[in-house]
Amino acid sequence: MDTIEVIEPGFLTTVQDTGRYGYQRYGVPVAGAMDILALRAANLLVGNHEENACLEITLLGPKLRFLVDTTIALAGADLTPTLDGIPITTWQSVKVPKGSIIGFQHSRSGIRAYLSVARGFDVPKVMGSRSTYMNAAIGGFQGRPIQTGDVLRSFKTALDVYQK
């Protein structure tokens, strides 16, 4: 289900989960979120499994348009998020109406924030993980940071996360 349209990508915004384990002997690093606690918290706040993929937002956040009604949560760094120009609080769930735009002003504290959406991001698993590993261009959204014009999908149901 098309969920988010990228208006501006921010400094470095990638899809990350808790990582890709068991492939280090083949030269594939774990990758995954830099702040696992924040990723897990963001997921739990929207009712996802704690290991679901989130957007990892680094320092200067993106500008994103929501294409459906959904619920989101932000955890980790406080990058002064706004929803339709109104400040929103981190570390809690927020209902987002279709057409709303989330943006970020500057870092009040920290470097990386995690944006979760209800049901999680629908990107392919590569070696058991949805995390972006940019050096090998695998995982996440086409193996790269998000770019202007990208459309991110979420799963239709929580059960879909485990079937794909």
Side-chain angles (χ1 to χ4, degrees):
M1 166 171 41
D2 291 352
T3 304
I4 293 176
E5 175 189 3
V6 179
I7 299 169
E8 296 172 9
F11 174 67
L12 177 65
T13 305
T14 58
V15 175
Q16 299 294 345
D17 63 14
T18 55
R20 183 175 288 107
Y21 294 90
Y23 298 94
Q24 293 75 32
R25 67 180 170 262
Y26 305 113
V28 180
V30 172
M34 294 294 288
D35 184 345
I36 298 284
L37 173 66
L39 175 130
R40 288 181 171 181
N43 274 316
L44 292 172
L45 285 166
V46 297
N48 292 346
H49 187 277
E50 63 187 73
E51 295 180 354
N52 278 20
C54 289
L55 285 180
E56 181 178 74
I57 301 166
T58 304
L59 205 53
L60 301 171
K63 189 176 196 180
L64 309 169
R65 176 180 293 116
F66 290 88
L67 305 175
V68 296
D69 294 337
T70 191
T71 302
I72 66 165
L74 286 158
D78 182 353
L79 303 180
T80 56
T82 61
L83 188 63
D84 295 328
I86 299 167
I88 57 174
T89 305
T90 57
W91 299 94
Q92 68 181 29
S93 57
V94 177
K95 293 207 179 291
V96 178
K98 178 180 178 178
S100 291
I101 295 176
I102 191 169
F104 301 84
Q105 306 302 309
H106 62 276
S107 175
R108 191 173 296 153
S109 67
I111 294 175
R112 289 188 177 82
Y114 295 84
L115 171 69
S116 63
V117 296
R119 295 174 307 281
F121 289 102
D122 185 359
V123 295
K125 275 189 177 181
V126 177
M127 292 179 253
S129 172
R130 299 182 199 285
S131 286
T132 305
Y133 174 43
M134 294 183 297
N135 288 344
I138 61 171
F141 187 85
Q142 300 178 9
R144 61 169 171 76
I146 62 171
Q147 298 174 359
T148 300
D150 286 346
V151 174
L152 303 169
R153 301 176 58 84
S154 63
F155 289 102
K156 291 181 182 174
T157 69
L159 187 58
D160 292 338
V161 175
Y162 301 104
Q163 294 176 346
K164 286 191 173 185

